[in-house]
Amino acid sequence: MIVEGTTVVVNSEDEYITAIGGNPSRFLDVEIVYPVTITQFGQTIVLNDDGDVCDFYNTLREDCANKPAHIQFFYNEGPGTPINCAYFIEYPVKITLLGTTIEIQDRQQYRDLLNASPNALNGIELVYPVSVYQVQDDDKFTFDADAEICDYLENVCQY
């Protein structure tokens, strides 16, 4: 990136906020230098222009028809979601990863496993039941199937 006329190399999402000035709502003058290579779900993606960035961003908002329920479950947790849907997962959560059962202690551990292998995206399955604490109603929801998570996010939350 070029930040205020100086070339800055960003190697991780943790470095990005610092590179743009420390505050995402009051960022410095930044220009992205293409191509940009990122890793998502264990797969390498090359972004060649602003259009590629917009296309990539739009895939993050896909519904359950296009992304496995485990992605929807973990990535819609916590702040940044509509208030009527804000929830926190009750950890630990068990998943199977390519046939091996693993107990997940937090979202970061899930992300690390997901990004470690190009086969993880389709190789992860939630072990049900899984529960969440819904913020708005001070309520607990328990899901017993992928379809229930998708129904909650697509119909209750109306993403």
Side-chain angles (χ1 to χ4, degrees):
M1 298 183 331
I2 299 174
V3 180
E4 300 280 316
T6 303
T7 299
V8 177
V9 176
V10 177
N11 294 302
S12 72
E13 65 183 294
D14 295 333
E15 296 176 5
Y16 174 73
I17 296 296
T18 302
I20 64 168
N23 185 338
S25 64
R26 289 191 297 271
F27 53 88
L28 301 172
D29 182 32
V30 177
E31 176 185 341
I32 298 173
V33 178
Y34 295 102
V36 173
T37 303
I38 60 172
T39 302
Q40 181 190 45
F41 313 140
Q43 299 173 340
T44 300
I45 300 166
V46 178
L47 307 172
N48 293 303
D49 55 33
D50 292 345
D52 285 354
V53 171
C54 292
D55 291 344
F56 171 75
Y57 179 77
N58 286 332
T59 69
L60 300 176
R61 300 177 53 86
E62 290 178 342
D63 61 21
C64 285
N66 297 319
K67 279 200 176 117
H70 63 86
I71 298 241
Q72 304 293 1
F73 182 66
F74 286 102
Y75 277 85
N76 284 297
E77 176 188 22
T81 58
I83 190 62
N84 66 316
C85 294
Y87 65 81
F88 293 92
I89 296 170
E90 291 190 351
Y91 291 97
V93 171
K94 289 184 182 178
I95 65 165
T96 58
L97 173 59
L98 304 172
T100 301
T101 300
I102 299 170
E103 194 169 85
I104 302 294
Q105 301 301 320
D106 57 32
R107 185 164 73 171
Q108 187 59 51
Q109 183 182 7
Y110 164 79
R111 291 176 66 185
D112 291 346
L113 288 170
L114 183 63
N115 286 317
S117 165
N119 299 320
L121 177 65
N122 294 315
I124 289 177
E125 293 181 23
L126 291 166
V127 175
Y128 291 100
V130 294
S131 297
V132 299
Y133 171 79
Q134 211 242 9
V135 176
Q136 181 184 12
D137 297 326
D138 195 25
D139 229 351
K140 178 180 173 179
F141 288 90
T142 299
F143 302 111
D144 293 308
D146 288 357
E148 291 178 13
I149 292 170
C150 293
D151 182 62
Y152 174 79
L153 293 172
E154 293 170 4
N155 296 312
V156 175
C157 297
Q158 299 176 0
Y159 281 147

